[in-house]
Structures are given as C-alpha cells and as structure tokens.
Amino acid sequence: MQVIKLSLHGRYYDSQIYSGNLYLWTIDGRIITLSWERLINNLIDSVPENLKFAAHCAFKDNQFLYGQEWQLLFRDSAFQGLLLTRFDELNKFLKDFSFNDFSAFVINEQDNPFQFPHSDTLIYYDRLFVAGKEGIAVRRRYGTQYAINDNIEKLWDSPVLSMAGSHLALALATGQDGVYEYSLDSQIEKNEPRNLLDKFSNYVRWLYPSFFSSSYGTGYFADFRLRQLSVSYNEKRQNIRELESILSSNELFTNTSDTRSLYTWGSYDKICSLTKEHIKVLKYTPRRKMGGERKDIGKLELPNQLGSEIISADNALFGFVIELDDGLFIIDSQLNFHWFGGEPVNWRVFPNTKNYTNQLHVIYSDQVNIFSFNDDYFVNQTDKFAGIDYRHQQYQNRL
Amino acid sequence: MNAEYVIDDDFGVIYIHKADHRNRAPQKSQWTISEQQERDCFGNILGLIYMDGFGSPNGCWGLHIVAGRLAYLGESASDSSEPFRALFIAKFVDSNENDRWHGYPADHVSNTQDIPTSDWLMYWFEAGYISQSQLRKISRGQKCKL
C-alpha cells in the first residue's frame, strides 16, 4: 500500500501532535498551534463519501482500527480488501495534497519562549518539555484552546540531547554524562535528576520500566523491574522501579559472525541492531519479579547495502524509521521498504499518542510532510517483526 | 611549545596555538588546517566577541570558510569512539579571562560542551553557512556532514 501524504508549506524546525492540535516550531522563532482536528475535518468534508472513513482513520483517529471490536471484521478478507482499496483510493485522491494556506485553522501563533534551536521536544503528562544546550524547560498546556503560554519553568540547567517520558518521569540523554531520570512526581519535594547510566548517550527511549540508550558507539539497555510497595488495605498501590542489570549492545546481540553493528536502539517492546546488510530484532517483555525477557525474533536482510551513515532511528507502531545521511529508510510492519530521499530538517513518530501512532512527520526546508501508514491494522501483533506491538503500546502508555 | 600571536592590538588579544591539537595526541582533536587558517578562524569572530557580546570566555565558536562556503577544519581524537571523523566547528576559550585565547576543533558529537550555544548557531544559519538540517543535527549532537 502507498503511504498517504499531506504537506503544509512553511519553514519549520520541529513538530508535535497531541490531543487534536499540531504544534509547529518555525525556523524564524515562532510556535504555531494549529487545530489538526478542524483541518482534518475540513479535509474529510472535501473527499468523496466513500473515502471519508479512510481519511478519518488515516489522519484523525488511527486507533479506531486497532480496537478489539474490529478484529472479527478484519478476519473477513473481503472487508480487509475493501479497506485497503479505500486507503489506496484516498492516496490517489490526495496525491501531493498540500496546504499552502492553513491560516483558518491556526489557534495561536506566538514568539517561541523556549531556547532555540532546541535538541528535543516532548509532550507528556499534559506538559510540553523543551530540551537543549541550556537544559530543560516545561510549560503546562492551558485554557480551552491549548496554545502554549509564555510562562515557562526551567527544570534543569545541564545540556540534554534527547528525552522520553514514561512512569511519571523523563529519561534524559546527556551525552558524556550518560542517562538521567527526572521525576515528575509532585509528591517528591525536590526533583533532582538522578544518574541511571554513566555511559555516553545521545538518544534514549523507554521500554516499559526499562530504557535503551543509543550512541554512535555502544548502546546500553538498562533493565528495570517493577516492585510493588506493600501498602495498607485502602491505600493506592504504588510501584517502584529497581535496576536489574545493564547490558551493552554487544552483550544483547552476541552473534559475532555477523558484520559489525552500526547502530542499536530500542523502544517499547523492540530492541534493534542495524548492520550494513541486515537488521536484527529482540522482543522485550517485562517481568514483575525479575528482569525482562528478551527474545531473538530474527533478522531481516536489507534490500541494498546501506551506503551512507546512520544518524538515528526510532520505533513506531507501523515499523522502524532509520535516518541516514541522505534520507529516511523505513521498514514497515508488513516488511515493505520505503525510501524518502533528501536530508530532513527533522522528523518524528508518535507512539505515545492515542490517535496518531500511524503518523510520521518529516520536515524539509520548505514544508512539513505528514505521512500516514495504514498497513499495521492487518498485521498479527504477536508475530510482528518490525514495529511496536500495539498491545504493548497500549500498556506502556497507561504507565 | 605553544606559539603565541597578537591577534588584535586594540583589544590586546593574544592567540595561542596549542601543540597537543597538532601533534597527534591521542585524546585531542586535531587541526587539519594551517596555523594561519586557525588564527583567521578566530580572528573572524573577534568583532562578534568583543563588540557584539557573543559567547563567553568559556566558549566561543568559529567556522572555516573557503570561498564563501563552510569547510572542514579538523578531525576527532584518535582514541575517541569514532577516530578521525571530520570536524567543521572550532571552539575558542580564554580560560583565565585575560584575553589570551586558544582553540581546538570542536567535536559536537562526542562532547556536549562542544555544541555551540544558540546565538552562534542562529548567527551561522542566518548568514547561510549552515542549513536547517545541520542546525538540528548539531543541536542534538548528531553526526553531520558538509
């Protein structure tokens, strides 16, 4: 199936999508808050009647098709075929569709009150976090329109290269100082980041209570287990995370006959190792009483040798996204390969959202392309090789 | 021996060439441009430092521009996780705050302290020396080619 694409013209640096709004950081120092809900409603109004459902699922609410209530229907190959046809027709209908003027959907446009250029942004726990050379700042969303207010709070002064949120905490990749955790628990009086890993880290992602730290050298998996604090009968149950072990990427991927790993990363239930010829994947399942289980689920040969340098990679429900020097290489969950040529300004996937897990945002110098992947609904999530298991995503996002 | 040069009489600025960034010291990044080009790289930003208030004695950054285009100026340390990676940013410091500066090829991938501050990055971007993509890659400590 073809990937469906929408474009918004403009010169952007970063994007986030959350709860019906699209946030765009412009290169000239503004943040535009756009009602994605209204923009897509407008788009849905403009497509033929028989494509409205596909447009709704592609851009507005992709969780709809993952629901358990649809599983029986999806076993009907005729229904699957119809839906796939509709997505293909929508793709043809929207071919190169771009919004040159989306001012009617702009909720707010303001000067960027955060450091710029930043290294990373994150919307988690109803807050917007911005990280960079000057540390981390946070702003709560506010009001009915959910624009970003100017009142921002500095959380930490040290440089942060990447961050991820889960378990009411931020995992922070800080380069040579390793990975830190910043608790967002309001019950803790003074939130000082604590060092979890002292190995170089320029990228970090959660795998349930654990995390994976990537770098251009060795990657590290810090395996935590959850332990329930004993509490009295009427108290709320409370879990604490305890470090079980730290494993290097060389220990995780031990087959030495393979060619050298170029990059390792992990998030949710998948840990990946990429060489020039193939990608190897471990599936991670947390265990309550001990460290998590890691199962080798095989390797996939790449269509061509990777000729250019790897910049970064991330996991989405729809597959793996790998940034190379000269473009993005995507392995979708049906094991199709996609190549989006051209050096991106920035890109993001949104596995921690409810309705936008099928989206890949790729910013180029004059536009942001919003790609919608719609194959994963038909993939057996238990046997899935490429991409996050939907059920695991649901579980982790509740944490 | 670290050679010293007067860069600017008015400001009384001295520039010192550090030998360990040219003698293959395994833990030090190495210049691949000449000493004259290294001094020019610093000299080109004197106005920004002393007149426009850019940076601080702990960190000012420069680029090596050839025919109006950004060019490589050094390579990463031989005992770094990625030895001899081409570098294109220079970091200059005046540790004792006495206008005696020295510099070295900054490795923004291996050391967050070598990532330039936002005022320098935006200045270079607006001057057309670095692209939007490079802006992000440098800020994130990611590999970045010219």
Side-chain angles (χ1 to χ4, degrees), chain B:
Chain B
M1 183 68 186
N2 297 321
E4 296 187 11
Y5 290 84
V6 176
I7 294 289
D8 189 289
D9 282 331
D10 294 340
F11 292 116
V13 179
I14 305 287
Y15 187 79
I16 304 161
H17 291 286
K18 288 282 192 180
D20 54 2
H21 287 284
R22 287 189 177 273
N23 67 1
R24 293 281 155 210
Q27 294 177 331
K28 302 286 185 179
S29 60
Q30 299 291 305
W31 294 103
T32 52
I33 56 176
S34 69
E35 286 191 345
Q36 178 63 56
Q37 288 170 320
E38 179 187 335
R39 290 197 299 277
D40 290 346
C41 183
F42 177 66
N44 290 339
I45 60 170
L46 268 188
L48 288 173
I49 300 169
Y50 282 91
M51 298 177 77
D52 297 331
F54 269 54
S56 75
N58 295 323
C60 287
W61 283 265
L63 300 175
H64 177 48
I65 308 296
V66 177
R69 293 179 66 109
L70 191 52
Y72 290 112
L73 50 70
E75 56 191 25
S76 58
S78 60
D79 77 345
S80 68
S81 60
E82 276 193 288
F84 312 120
R85 181 167 23 82
L87 307 174
F88 60 89
I89 298 171
K91 184 173 181 180
F92 300 103
V93 292
D94 173 20
S95 311
N96 296 321
E97 301 190 30
N98 57 358
D99 300 312
R100 293 169 63 82
W101 294 79
H102 72 273
Y104 58 90
D107 185 352
H108 76 275
V109 174
S110 299
N111 190 344
T112 52
Q113 302 305 325
D114 282 2
I115 296 174
T117 49
S118 51
D119 50 352
W120 292 93
L121 288 173
M122 289 311 291
Y123 175 79
W124 294 337
F125 172 71
E126 282 162 10
Y129 294 131
I130 61 172
S131 68
Q132 284 165 261
S133 303
Q134 288 165 335
L135 200 59
R136 181 258 305 185
K137 287 177 178 173
I138 297 168
S139 299
R140 284 197 94 148
Q142 294 176 324
K143 286 183 191 173
C144 188
K145 281 185 181 167
L146 298 183

Side-chain angles (χ1 to χ4, degrees), chain A residues 99-208:
Chain A
F99 288 93
N100 292 317
D101 178 13
F102 48 84
S103 54
F105 310 106
V106 171
I107 294 172
N108 189 40
E109 193 168 339
Q110 64 181 107
D111 289 339
N112 180 358
F114 296 97
Q115 60 183 305
F116 187 82
H118 54 251
S119 60
D120 204 1
T121 58
L122 168 72
I123 297 179
Y124 173 65
Y125 201 53
D126 220 26
R127 294 161 163 87
L128 169 66
F129 299 90
V130 177
K133 171 96 173 168
E134 294 159 28
I136 311 171
V138 62
R139 174 61 201 147
R140 279 176 182 273
R141 296 196 311 157
Y142 79 104
T144 53
Q145 294 197 316
Y146 299 121
I148 296 162
N149 198 343
D150 285 351
N151 298 325
I152 60 172
E153 181 192 347
K154 191 77 177 275
L155 295 183
W156 202 32
D157 287 329
S158 294
V160 172
L161 301 176
S162 157
M163 60 185 162
S166 189
H167 290 75
L168 208 55
L170 302 179
L172 309 170
T174 69
Q176 64 275 14
D177 294 329
V179 176
Y180 279 75
E181 177 178 311
Y182 186 94
S183 173
L184 300 173
D185 190 340
S186 58
Q187 293 180 348
I188 297 174
E189 268 185 33
K190 188 167 170 57
N191 289 333
E192 283 295 330
R194 63 177 181 131
N195 187 245
L196 300 181
L197 176 73
D198 61 0
K199 311 288 187 187
F200 194 97
S201 173
N202 63 5
Y203 196 73
V204 66
R205 286 289 181 265
W206 291 87
L207 297 91
Y208 308 101

Side-chain angles (χ1 to χ4, degrees), chain A residues 283-331:
Chain A
K283 185 177 172 86
Y284 169 73
T285 308
R287 294 278 180 262
R288 184 163 287 278
K289 290 186 178 169
M290 60 191 90
E293 178 196 339
R294 295 173 307 277
K295 184 182 171 192
D296 184 343
I297 59 171
K299 69 179 180 182
L300 178 71
E301 301 297 325
L302 302 179
N304 300 301
Q305 270 215 359
L306 294 179
S308 50
E309 199 139 47
I310 294 164
I311 306 300
S312 67
D314 206 353
N315 294 346
L317 264 75
F318 60 81
F320 302 135
V321 184
I322 299 154
E323 182 185 0
L324 304 173
D325 254 352
D326 49 353
L328 293 179
F329 176 60
I330 295 134
I331 304 169

